[in-house]
Amino acid sequence: MKEVLVLTTGGTIASTKTENGLAPGLAAEVLVSYFERRPGVDLSVENVMSKDSTNMQPEDWVEIAERIQAHHQAYDAFIVTHGTDTMGYSAAALSYLLYGFDKPVVLTGSQVPLGMAETDAVRNLHDSLTFASQTDLQGVYLVFNGLVMAGTRAVKTKSKSYDAFESINYPYIASVSEGNMMPLYQPEPETPVLTPSINLDTKVFVLKAFPGLTVDIFDYLTANMHGVIIESFGNGGLPFERRNLIPGVEKLTAAGIPVIITTQILEEGQDIYLYEVGKRVADAGGITAGDMNTEAIVAKLMWVLGQTRQLETVRTLMQTPIAHDLDFV
C-alpha cells in the first residue's frame, strides 16, 4: 500500500464565490473527496492554511516544508494543493527547503475552482495522484494540464488557459493521462553540496531594468537589502550611457551584497560576456544566473543567504546546479 498525504493551502482550486469575489473556502475533507481512489493507494489529507496564493509569503513556504518533513516517515509521497499565481515560487522554494528529500512532493492547483463548470481541478488532482503514486523520482515537481515539471523550472505563463504552466529551459519530466504516466525525461542524479537547511533570508529585491531607470535606486538597495536580483536586457546587459547602472552594481558588490543578473527574456537563458553591455556588468561584480528563471532565483537566493552572506560563497552556490535549476552559467 502506498501512503500519500494531501496538504491543502487554499488557492483557486479550493475557492468559492463570496461577495468580494472568489476566495478559498472549501474544506480539506471536501477537496480530497474529488480525488479518484486508486487500488493500492491510501490517501490522507491535512489542511496547512487557506489563502489565495497571492498572499503566500516565504514564512508559508517554511511552514509547508516543515509539515512535509514532520510526516516524512509516515508517507511515501506528498501532494500540495496550491493557488496558481505564486505556485512557481512555492515549487522552487520547496525544492531548496526540502533539499535532499528522498520522496516525491507534487504541487498542483487549477485555473477554475472545484465544483464549477469547466473546472480543470479534477483532472489536475487525478494527474498529481497518478504521478505521486507511480514515480520513482525524488524531490519537488509541479503537475498541471497533464504535464510534470521540475519544481525549479515551472513558470506560470498564462492567466486563464488550462495550460498555464510551462517548463522553462528544461525538458518536461512526464506526461499524465487517464491514470497513466509516460516518462519523458530522466533527470541526472545530483551530488549533495550542502547540508539541508530550512532558513530563509527575505531581504532580497528584484529590480527590473527599463530605459530610464534611475541610478538612485542603488542607494536604497545598498542600505536595505542583503541580496539583489536584476532582470537585465537580453543576454545580461545594463545601460552604461547617461543613466549608468554599472557603478550601482559595483557599489552593491563592494558592500558585500550579491547582485544576481538574470534576463527579462523567458527562454534560452543568457550569455553575459557576449556583448560589451553584459561584460561590463560581470566585470562590476554581477553574478550571472545562466538559464534559471526568476522564481527559482528568488527562492534560491533567500535560501543561500539564510545559510551564508559571504559573497564568494553565495556566488559559488548560486552558480551550482541544485534541484535541476541550472544547466549553464
Side-chain angles (χ1 to χ4, degrees):
M1 181 68 70
K2 183 156 285 192
E3 300 288 340
V4 179
L5 177 63
V6 178
L7 298 169
T8 63
T9 70
T12 294
I13 195 168
S15 286
T16 57
K17 291 181 179 179
T18 75
E19 62 181 13
N20 293 316
L22 292 172
L26 197 68
E29 293 73 18
V30 176
L31 186 150
V32 80
S33 70
Y34 284 88
F35 276 93
E36 183 179 60
R37 300 296 168 164
R38 309 285 175 83
V41 178
D42 186 27
L43 206 59
S44 303
V45 65
E46 184 175 306
N47 181 62
V48 182
M49 61 192 70
S50 182
K51 59 171 61 183
D52 189 299
S53 73
T54 296
N55 287 320
M56 279 283 178
Q57 297 290 320
E59 294 79 7
D60 298 318
W61 303 336
V62 170
E63 184 175 352
I64 296 167
E66 288 178 337
R67 198 73 68 94
I68 291 170
Q69 288 181 330
H71 292 299
H72 172 261
Q73 296 298 327
Y75 296 93
D76 302 299
F78 299 84
I79 297 171
V80 179
T81 59
H82 195 289
T84 59
D85 286 347
T86 62
M87 185 154 58
Y89 287 96
S90 294
L94 290 174
S95 299
Y96 302 118
L97 292 169
L98 296 173
Y99 178 61
F101 198 73
D102 61 355
K103 295 176 181 179
V105 177
V106 181
L107 281 79
T108 196
S110 67
Q111 293 285 70
V112 180
L114 276 166
M116 293 183 67
E118 307 298 327
T119 184
D120 56 329
V122 174
R123 179 193 180 174
N124 289 338
L125 291 177
H126 291 175
D127 290 349
S128 64
L129 181 58
T130 296
F131 178 72
S133 61
Q134 294 182 16
T135 187
D136 293 324
L137 297 175
Q138 303 172 355
V140 179
Y141 301 89
L142 190 151
V143 174
F144 215 87
N145 195 49
L147 291 169
V148 181
M149 294 152 254
T152 57
R153 297 289 190 159
V155 175
K156 187 176 182 181
T157 59
K158 296 179 181 177
S159 62
K160 298 180 178 67
S161 302
Y162 293 162
D163 57 338
F165 284 86
E166 295 182 39
S167 181
I168 302 301
N169 297 321
Y170 199 76
Y172 289 95
I173 302 300
S175 62
V176 190
S177 179
E178 298 180 349
N180 297 306
M181 181 188 73
M182 175 67 70
L184 299 176
Y185 181 74
Q186 180 72 32
E188 291 290 330
E190 292 183 337
T191 303
V193 295
L194 285 172
T195 302
S197 171
I198 208 161
N199 296 319
L200 295 174
D201 182 341
T202 62
K203 297 195 75 171
V204 167
F205 194 93
V206 179
L207 178 66
K208 183 170 184 174
F210 61 89
L213 175 62
T214 178
V215 300
D216 296 339
I217 186 66
F218 290 96
D219 294 332
Y220 170 82
L221 297 175
T222 303
N224 293 279
M225 293 295 124
H226 293 166
V228 174
I229 299 159
I230 301 180
E231 291 189 338
S232 68
F233 301 121
N235 273 290
L238 294 174
F240 60 82
E241 295 180 354
R242 292 199 176 183
R243 298 170 182 85
N244 183 1
L245 302 186
I246 305 304
V249 176
E250 292 174 335
K251 182 174 184 177
L252 287 164
T253 302
I257 300 169
V259 182
I260 314 301
I261 306 297
T262 184
T263 174
Q264 298 175 27
I265 311 303
L266 197 57
E267 302 278 0
E268 299 180 350
Q270 59 181 311
D271 181 356
I272 200 169
Y273 294 100
L274 184 61
Y275 294 94
E276 180 186 7
V277 291
K279 185 176 184 301
R280 285 182 179 237
V281 176
D283 290 345
I287 301 169
T288 179
D291 65 345
M292 289 180 68
N293 59 62
T294 297
E295 289 87 337
I297 296 171
V298 168
K300 187 175 188 178
L301 185 56
M302 288 183 181
W303 181 67
V304 169
L305 289 172
Q307 300 169 72
T308 179
R309 290 187 58 198
Q310 205 285 322
L311 184 57
E312 287 308 311
T313 305
V314 173
R315 178 190 296 272
T316 298
L317 292 175
M318 289 302 297
Q319 294 185 335
T320 298
I322 295 175
H324 317 297
D325 62 2
L326 178 65
D327 275 344
F328 67 87
V329 294

